[in-house]
Amino acid sequence: MPFCIAVYDVNQKRVSKMLKLFRRYLTWVQNSVFEGDLTVGQLKQLQLEADALLQDDDGVVFYQFRDERYVERIALGTDEVNRTRFL
Amino acid sequence: MPFCIAVYDVNQKRVSKMLKLFRRYLTWVQNSVFEGDLTVGQLKQLQLEADALLQDDDGVVFYQFRDERYVERIALGTDEVNRTRFL
């Protein structure tokens, strides 16, 4: 399943809505950073919903990977996701 | 060249040092998120320097990709990196 990292930078007024939206689809990593496995359809849906919330200078960036086997994840210090294996 | 995304969540006291360190190696995307191409040696060096700065509940996560051709990057709204192509 495709692996996705998503980060947002939005006005304080829209942070709670954005957080709620992203938590529905992905795992919270830290601050405004999320990761997880999404189907192509789920990812399109998340992008549509995020786009509808954006105003002014708000921005969201998605990094998509065809397969999580191509990703190596290294955490230093505190890791909220607390994975014990490389992806 | 390997492509890398790095995110940090550190105490306010160490934000400016961390920002300065990450800017030396990577391109700033938004908030505490960076991306860029690094050799394996550069990445190891960055990880060593970041690890030396971490205290208490500070955390850094690196996502490494063998090849940026495996990554598709989609930006909605404002994009500081302002890339006009997919990776």
Side-chain angles (χ1 to χ4, degrees):
Chain A
M1 195 183 282
F3 180 72
C4 174
I5 297 166
V7 299
Y8 61 72
D9 183 5
V10 302
N11 186 286
Q12 186 61 38
K13 294 177 200 165
R14 289 177 287 283
V15 164
S16 72
K17 274 193 180 170
M18 214 45 108
L19 179 66
K20 204 171 154 186
L21 169 64
F22 277 70
R23 274 187 186 279
R24 282 214 336 263
Y25 288 88
L26 296 163
T27 302
W28 179 71
V29 180
Q30 55 174 231
N31 294 322
S32 53
V33 181
F34 299 78
E35 66 174 56
D37 300 308
L38 291 182
T39 64
V40 173
Q42 286 170 327
L43 185 59
K44 289 277 176 220
Q45 186 59 34
L46 171 57
Q47 287 171 346
L48 278 174
E49 292 186 51
D51 201 34
L53 291 176
L54 296 179
Q55 290 181 43
D56 307 328
D57 292 334
D58 294 348
V60 180
V61 181
F62 294 89
Y63 301 92
Q64 302 168 231
F65 315 98
R66 264 173 280 174
D67 194 309
E68 66 178 36
R69 281 173 303 178
Y70 296 129
V71 185
E72 190 181 8
R73 184 184 193 282
I74 293 175
L76 306 177
T78 300
D79 181 16
E80 299 294 341
V81 177
N82 198 20
R83 294 183 179 215
T84 54
R85 59 179 184 91
F86 291 144
L87 292 174
Chain B
M1 194 182 283
F3 179 71
C4 173
I5 297 165
V7 299
Y8 60 72
D9 183 5
V10 301
N11 186 286
Q12 187 62 38
K13 292 177 199 163
R14 290 176 286 282
V15 165
S16 72
K17 273 193 179 169
M18 215 43 107
L19 178 66
K20 203 171 154 185
L21 169 63
F22 277 69
R23 274 187 185 280
R24 283 211 339 260
Y25 288 88
L26 295 165
T27 302
W28 180 71
V29 180
Q30 55 173 230
N31 294 321
S32 53
V33 180
F34 299 78
E35 66 173 57
D37 301 309
L38 291 182
T39 64
V40 174
Q42 287 170 326
L43 185 58
K44 289 275 176 221
Q45 186 59 35
L46 171 56
Q47 287 171 347
L48 279 173
E49 292 186 51
D51 202 34
L53 290 177
L54 295 180
Q55 290 182 42
D56 307 327
D57 292 333
D58 293 350
V60 180
V61 181
F62 294 90
Y63 302 92
Q64 301 169 231
F65 315 98
R66 265 172 279 174
D67 194 309
E68 65 178 38
R69 281 173 302 177
Y70 297 129
V71 186
E72 188 181 10
R73 184 184 192 282
I74 293 175
L76 306 177
T78 301
D79 181 16
E80 298 294 340
V81 177
N82 199 19
R83 293 185 179 213
T84 54
R85 60 179 182 89
F86 292 143
L87 290 173

